[in-house]
Structure formats: structure tokens, C-alpha cells
Amino acid sequence: MGLVQLLKSQVLCHLIMCYVFVVSGLIINLLQFCTLPVWLINKQLARRINIRLAYCISSQMVATLEWWSETECTLYTDPESFPLYGNENAIVVLNHSYDIDFLCGWTFCERFGVLGSSKVLAKKELSYVPVIGWMWYFLEIVFCKRKWEEDRTTVAQSLQNLHDYPENFWFLLYCEGTRFTRKKHQISMKVAESKGLPKLKYHLLPRTKGFWVTVQNLRGKAVAVYDATLNFRNNETPTLLGVMSGKKYHADLYVRRIPLDLIPEDEAECAAWLHKLYQEKDGFQEQYAQTGRFPGPVKSPPRRPWCLINWLFWVCLLLYPLGLLLVQLISSGSALTIAVAVALFSAASLGFRWMIGQTEISRGSSYGSKAQSQISPVRDKNDQDPSLRLQILICTVG
Ligand SMILES: CCCCC/C=C\C/C=C\CCCCCCCC(=O)SCCNC(=O)CCNC(=O)[C@H](O)C(C)(C)COP(=O)(O)OP(=O)(O)OC[C@H]1O[C@@H](n2cnc3c(N)ncnc32)[C@H](O)[C@@H]1OP(=O)(O)O
Ligand SMILES: CCCCCCCCCCCCCCCCCC(=O)OC[C@@H](O)COP(=O)(O)O
């Protein structure tokens, strides 16, 4: 291991990175809060300001991936679609199998110039995460409780609000609804079986309602669905801590552009279309497992310097006061002050670790692993046959 690599793997280094990320993030959250009066006067201006402020936060994590760990991201896609990426609004459907799949998504957003404006259908719990979750409020990220009865109106309304959004965005949908684990996979395949759907090897059974509601509500605004399938070379399972330790990964992303007009409007047909899409995605993963590559030519956009410049700016701005504080602390010689500082430092470290934990599959939710919680026979009146739900419940619990 070289000296630089050794340095990157040091906990102290990680703490400094977290410090810069969190303190700069909180400053930006505060600035975002200050844009609230602008919303009242000029909503589009406030949105544009927030896109740039959000870029200052998310691009720091992208810089860690691209410049610190030097992870390579290869894009497999058709050359005719390539010029359209970043120049239109699109719904992105991505597999949800890795701790850092969202970060790879962000990297591609960055390279196509839509990082600040990109959106996601995210679980409500993430909105409470300081810095990222708070930033998302001002970006009009769509949150869901993963309870269709409650989500059906709130999600539709939030999507409608995006119709006059002033800049191009990608709207990310993890249709699997939760990250892949063996247990969740087993349960979802029982659901697939009970519905007479073919089994998937590499994906959980997609939840179709969020996709349908997104497509219906973004019609006229988004023009395409980007079917994106991600994998990592050498069977690697990358983590955020690995990235922060400077571990270099190699991500491969296969993207197919599908015009939105081709997606059926009818809910049942749209659901069937999505199930077919996931069967195809499974096929691409199988091909990757067999050959180590996705279909189609490689057309990778290069990394850009902006996220690095932004990161260095915050590092320079925030390290100086931290150094000054440390010097003052040590020179004070007061045992009580030092004890308080150590306690604060420990609390901050725990906070950082908790935030990183949000990205870890091993600390993920139980959603999708307890069939009962999703398949209640008592559903709202617009839902499907309760007897079918009961049948699935019996099947999955059994
Ligand atoms: C180029 C690439 C990169 C681009 C990147 C672009 C942008 C980046 C921007 C930001 C990055 C940040 C990333 C942050 C990540 C955060 C992501 C998340 O939080 S994922 C979790 C939240 N999102 C979702 O859940 C979306 C998918 N879910 C849905 O669509 C759901 O339908 C729902 C709308 C959330 C409603 O949830 P609910 O639980 O009520 O689901 P359903 O009504 O659908 O469930 C019942 C339905 O499912 C069947 N069922 C039951 N059990 C299972 C099971 N275990 N597996 C599968 N299916 C199951 C059940 O039979 C019912 O079926 P049916 O619908 O037929 O009746
Ligand atoms: C620049 C230096 C970086 C230091 C970073 C330190 C802090 C890191 C902060 C991380 C912020 C949290 C971002 C959350 C994104 C998590 C995305 C995700 O994958 O969510 C999971 C959900 O989809 C599904 O949840 P589960 O049901 O699987 O459970």
C-alpha cells in the first residue's frame, strides 16, 4: 500500500471529510432556508438558486467517488440516445442492489449536467437526515411513506408541481422499493409466484404503482424513461466507507432510452410493461455475470472538474477555523474544556457514523421482508381484489 493510499484509509481523514461535508452542508441548508422569501416573489429564481446550492452538497460526495477513490464509471448506451442525455427530462429506473448505487447515479447526473436538479421518489425517513434530507425539501424531492393509501395523492401532487420546473431533471425511481437482500428476494419471489409472474434472479419484484403514478403525472414534462442497470466489476460490493478509504471500484451502467409515449396509460398494462422491463433487466444482469459486460457500445462521458473545485473550496474554507479551534483548545490547558471538546467530538463521530449507516444495506429497513406489512387484505376501494391479496399473504407467510 502506497503512502497516499495509507493516508486515505485513516479514520482521522474520514472524520475530516465528514466534518467538511456536514458543516458545509449545514451552511448550505441555512442558505436554502434563506431562499424561502424568494419563493414568494419569484419561484423560478428560488428554484434555480436551490439547484446550485444543492449541487454544492451532492457534488462533494461525487468528488469523493470520482477524485478521491478514483472509481471509474463506464456507460453502455446507444450512441443515438447519448446526445439527448442531460438535454431532456427523463424518468430513470435503476436496480437497487448496492450501498452506493445512488452515488453512481449522481456521478452520471454530474457528467450530464443535471446533478443539482435531479430528483427521486424517496422514502420519507430520508427527509430527516441532516444535510441531504433537508436539502431535498428545497429541491422538491418526492417523498413517500411506502403506504399506497397515503402516497397515491401526495406523490401525484408532488409530481404535478414539477410541471413548471425551470431546468432539466432526471427523476429516479427504484421500483424494487427497497434494497436487495437474500431474504427480501425470497419473499418477493413468492409474491411473483403467486401472481403467476416469472421469477427474477437479480432483482426484487418491482412495485408498479409508483412507476405508474410517476409516468402518468410526468407525461408532457418527461419525454423518456431511461432503463438503467448497474453492476460492479469483479463481483465487488462497494460501500461508502470503502470510497472514503480511497478504494477504487469500477461501475458499469447500461442505459436504454425508451420514449415515454411507448408506455401504456392503463394501470394494469403499465404494470405488465414494468414487469417485462424487469425481466429484461434480469437478462442483462445474467449476461453481465456470464461475460463481464452489458450489451451495446461503450460511450462514457468524462468526469468534470467542477465537483472537485467545489470540494476543495469547502476544504480550504473550513479546515482553517478547525485548526484554529484545536490550537486554542490545546493551549487553553483546561481539563474541563478538553473533556467537553472530547465529548462533542465523540458525539459528532457517532452522528457521522449514523449518517453513513443510512447508505448501508445491512442497516436497511425491514420493508419487503415482512410480507404482512405490505399485503393487508384491507385496502382502499380503488385497489385490486382483496381475495388475491389474502392469497398472497398466505403464500408469503407460509
Ligand atoms: C443514469 C442513472 C442515474 C440517475 C440518477 C438520478 C437521480 C438521482 C437523484 C437522487 C439520488 C438519491 C437517491 C436516494 C435514494 C432513496 C431511494 C428510496 O428511498 S427507495 C424507497 C422509496 N421508493 C419506492 O418505494 C419506489 C417504489 N415503490 C412504489 O412504487 C410503491 O408502489 C409505492 C408507491 C411506494 C407504494 O408502496 P406500498 O408498499 O404501499 O406498495 P404497493 O402498494 O406497491 O405494495 C403492494 C403491492 O406489492 C406487492 N407486494 C407485496 N409484497 C411484496 C414484495 N415483498 N415484493 C414485491 N411486491 C410485493 C403486492 O402484491 C401488491 O401488488 P399489486 O400492486 O399488484 O397490488
Ligand atoms: C464528501 C465526504 C462524504 C462524507 C459523507 C458523510 C456523510 C454521508 C451522508 C450520507 C447521506 C445519506 C444519503 C442517503 C441516501 C441513501 C440512499 C438509499 O439507498 O436509501 C435506501 C432506500 O432507497 C431504501 O431503503 P431500505 O428499505 O433498503 O432501507
Side-chain angles (χ1 to χ4, degrees):
M1 188 190 278
L3 191 64
V4 175
Q5 205 53 39
L6 186 73
L7 192 75
K8 285 182 179 176
S9 67
Q10 298 307 303
V11 176
L12 187 64
C13 234
H14 305 162
L15 286 172
I16 292 173
M17 287 163 82
C18 286
Y19 158 78
V20 172
F21 178 76
V22 172
V23 175
S24 64
L26 292 175
I27 293 171
I28 294 162
N29 284 163
L30 188 70
L31 292 174
Q32 290 187 300
F33 189 75
C34 295
T35 63
L36 283 178
V38 185
W39 275 86
L40 303 174
I41 303 158
N42 188 337
K43 185 174 163 187
Q44 299 301 45
L45 176 66
R47 281 169 152 173
R48 288 182 195 278
I49 295 171
N50 273 290
I51 289 171
R52 271 130 205 108
L53 289 173
Y55 179 88
C56 293
I57 295 180
S58 26
S59 72
Q60 288 186 48
M61 292 188 70
V62 172
T64 320
L65 186 80
E66 292 187 338
W67 296 91
W68 181 262
S69 85
E70 296 185 275
T71 290
E72 279 180 41
C73 298
T74 303
L75 179 64
Y76 293 75
T77 198
D78 112 63
E80 275 106 72
S81 304
F82 189 87
L84 299 171
Y85 298 155
N87 294 314
E88 62 185 9
N89 297 313
I91 299 166
V92 179
V93 174
L94 183 63
N95 54 312
H96 208 5
S97 330
Y98 302 98
D99 283 13
I100 60 157
D101 49 28
F102 79 96
L103 189 49
C104 292
W106 267 350
T107 297
F108 284 99
C109 289
E110 155 60 13
R111 294 184 190 196
F112 287 102
V114 289
L115 179 60
S117 56
S118 280
K119 323 243 165 273
V120 60
L121 177 56
K123 60 176 182 180
K124 183 80 185 148
E125 294 86 326
L126 288 174
S127 66
Y128 309 121
V129 177
V131 181
I132 296 267
W134 300 348
M135 156 186 106
W136 280 346
Y137 276 110
F138 299 94
L139 270 190
E140 298 165 82
I141 292 295
V142 181
F143 292 109
C144 64
K145 293 188 174 168
R146 296 189 284 192
K147 292 189 184 109
W148 180 240
E149 295 83 348
E150 293 177 50
D151 292 337
R152 62 185 313 146
T153 43
T154 53
V155 170
Q157 186 54 59
S158 309
L159 289 163
Q160 281 297 325
N161 292 343
L162 298 178
H163 271 265
D164 61 346
Y165 206 72
E167 295 194 14
N168 287 329
F169 63 84
W170 290 352
F171 189 92
L172 174 64
L173 250 182
Y174 288 116
C175 296
E176 292 161 90
T178 187
R179 288 165 289 186
F180 188 102
T181 66
R182 235 165 62 87
K183 187 178 172 194
K184 291 181 182 184
H185 181 242
Q186 278 171 359
I187 289 178
S188 85
M189 286 309 102
K190 283 186 181 162
V191 178
E193 204 178 343
S194 68
K195 288 184 171 184
L197 290 164
K199 289 203 175 165
L200 301 169
K201 190 169 163 189
Y202 301 95
H203 299 86
L204 304 177
L205 189 68
R207 311 278 179 152
T208 57
K209 293 194 179 76
F211 179 73
W212 176 71
V213 86
T214 304
V215 168
Q216 286 306 93
N217 283 283
L218 287 185
R219 271 188 206 280
K221 183 68 178 171
V223 291
V225 166
Y226 296 166
D227 167 31
T229 310
L230 177 73
N231 210 324
F232 285 85
R233 295 208 185 149
N234 312 316
N235 285 324
E236 270 165 336
T237 45
T239 61
L240 187 55
L241 274 177
V243 170
M244 290 169 71
S245 300
K247 192 166 177 347
K248 178 177 178 156
Y249 301 106
H250 198 134
D252 284 318
L253 184 79
Y254 177 41
V255 179
R256 288 188 302 168
R257 182 185 180 277
I258 304 163
L260 204 78
D261 297 341
L262 298 182
I263 298 165
E265 292 200 20
D266 174 72
E267 184 175 352
E269 284 177 31
C270 181
W273 186 93
L274 187 70
H275 284 304
K276 189 165 163 285
L277 186 89
Y278 269 77
Q279 285 148 28
E280 289 169 4
K281 286 169 91 67
D282 226 48
F284 302 142
Q285 291 288 26
E286 181 62 30
Q287 176 174 349
Y288 192 89
Q290 301 289 336
T291 64
R293 54 168 297 139
F294 285 121
V298 167
K299 186 100 180 66
S300 290
R303 63 183 181 180
R304 308 189 308 167
W306 313 121
C307 53
L308 179 66
I309 293 169
N310 170 66
W311 196 30
L312 291 177
F313 165 77
W314 287 106
V315 169
C316 296
L317 189 77
L318 296 173
L319 277 193
Y320 177 70
L322 180 72
L324 218 60
L325 197 77
L326 281 179
V327 170
Q328 274 179 1
L329 192 75
I330 293 161
S331 56
S332 79
S334 153
L336 181 70
T337 317
I338 293 177
V340 170
V342 169
L344 282 177
F345 174 80
S346 309
S349 306
L350 287 177
F352 296 156
R353 187 65 193 88
W354 177 81
M355 284 176 79
I356 293 168
Q358 297 302 305
T359 66
E360 294 172 351
I361 297 181
S362 55
R363 293 169 191 236
S365 73
S366 62
Y367 179 81
S369 63
K370 290 191 212 106
Q372 301 94 308
S373 61
Q374 280 97 48
I375 317 162
S376 156
V378 187
R379 304 286 285 201
D380 73 337
K381 62 180 186 323
N382 295 315
D383 266 6
Q384 292 167 3
D385 180 11
S387 63
L388 173 66
R389 296 190 179 282
L390 202 58
Q391 192 190 332
I392 301 166
L393 176 67
I394 294 161
C395 163
T396 46
V397 170

